């Protein structure tokens, strides 16, 4: 049984490791995928450069949010957005997103009261797309107004705990006394 468990753990580890390495191998920011075609006319040296495959991707933007303001009474949100392909890292209020990989065109950030990234009142989130040299490519701002609501009070329902405890003890005592008389 120990051998079987060892083989299963080893197989699972190898699968996870190979999947992680595959993700790294597919993206290489140093590869230049653009191609320039030069057109030279007869007798003239007129050059018209044409770039193919140099898609810069989407602009830095928020997805799923209308405008740059939001009002909420929920203490947890995931902010999602798009970023240009030339983005090396995405920063939200001077925090670098850890799960963002260079070249990705989407990103996400968690705003949560329990994490300390969402406070009651007005919150401002400045999102920056940074290139490999450390320059800001684009910047966008989102303002979230968070109004904390208190939980509704429940009406007094059920029976008091003390009464339940006394009834249970009395019932257990009566049962124990009857049991001793029978035995």
């Amino acid at each position: 049984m120990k051998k079987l468990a060892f083989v299963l753990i080893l197989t699972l580890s190898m699968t996870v490791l190979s999947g992680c390495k595959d993700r790294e191998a597919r993206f290489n920011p140093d590869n230049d995928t653009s191609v320039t075609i030069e057109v030279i006319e007869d007798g003239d040296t007129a050059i018209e450069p044409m770039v193919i495959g140099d898609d810069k991707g989407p602009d830095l933007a928020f997805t799923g949010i209308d405008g740059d303001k939001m009002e909420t009474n929920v203490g947890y949100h995931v902010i999602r957005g798009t970023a240009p392909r030339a983005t090396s890292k995405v920063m939200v209020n001077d925090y670098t997103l850890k799960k963002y990989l260079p070249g990705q065109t989407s990103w996400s950030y968690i705003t949560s009261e329990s994490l300390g990234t969402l406070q009651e009142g007005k919150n401002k989130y400045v999102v920056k797309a940074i290139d490999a040299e450390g320059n800001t490519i684009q910047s966008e701002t989102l303002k979230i107004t968070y109004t904390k609501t208190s939980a509704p009070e429940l009406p007094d329902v059920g029976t008091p705990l003390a009464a339940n405890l006394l009834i249970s003890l009395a019932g257990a005592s009566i049962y124990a006394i009857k049991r001793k008389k029978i035995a």
Side-chain angles (χ1 to χ4, degrees):
M1 189 67 167
K2 290 181 183 179
K3 289 181 182 179
L4 180 61
F6 175 75
V7 169
L8 289 174
I9 291 172
L10 184 65
T11 306
L12 179 65
S13 317
M14 296 303 290
T15 303
V16 169
L17 289 175
S18 66
C20 292
K21 289 291 183 184
D22 181 49
R23 186 172 182 182
E24 285 178 15
R26 278 190 268 156
F27 176 73
N28 185 356
D30 297 330
N31 286 346
D32 183 15
T33 58
S34 64
V35 176
T36 303
I37 299 174
E38 297 178 0
V39 177
I40 300 175
E41 297 178 10
D42 287 356
D44 291 326
T45 56
I47 300 175
E48 297 177 27
M50 181 174 88
V51 179
I52 298 174
D54 191 24
D55 181 21
K56 296 195 187 309
D59 286 336
L60 183 67
F62 300 106
T63 55
I65 299 173
D66 292 332
D68 61 350
K69 294 179 184 171
M70 185 169 99
E71 292 187 19
T72 184
N73 62 356
V74 179
Y76 179 90
H77 287 280
V78 178
I79 301 172
R80 291 183 170 85
T82 57
R85 289 197 199 289
T87 304
S88 180
K89 64 182 176 178
V90 174
M91 296 181 71
V92 179
N93 291 352
D94 298 324
Y95 172 77
T96 302
L97 301 182
K98 304 290 186 222
K99 292 189 176 186
Y100 178 81
L101 296 175
Q104 284 182 327
T105 57
S106 63
W107 56 269
S108 63
Y109 177 75
I110 297 173
T111 63
S112 171
E113 185 178 17
S114 63
L115 294 174
T117 56
L118 182 65
Q119 307 295 324
E120 188 170 7
K122 295 182 180 184
N123 297 273
K124 182 178 177 181
Y125 300 96
V126 179
V127 181
K128 295 179 184 176
I130 310 293
D131 65 9
E133 288 81 36
N135 301 319
T136 301
I137 301 171
Q138 291 178 342
S139 178
E140 289 291 328
T141 303
L142 174 66
K143 295 176 184 174
I144 297 178
T145 303
Y146 172 54
T147 307
K148 191 174 189 176
T149 57
S150 61
E153 292 187 28
L154 296 176
D156 292 331
V157 293
T159 58
L161 181 61
N164 280 342
L165 182 61
L166 288 175
I167 292 171
S168 298
L169 285 174
S173 300
I174 293 171
Y175 177 74
I177 292 171
K178 284 189 176 184
R179 191 113 166 113
K180 283 188 178 183
K181 286 185 181 179
I182 294 176

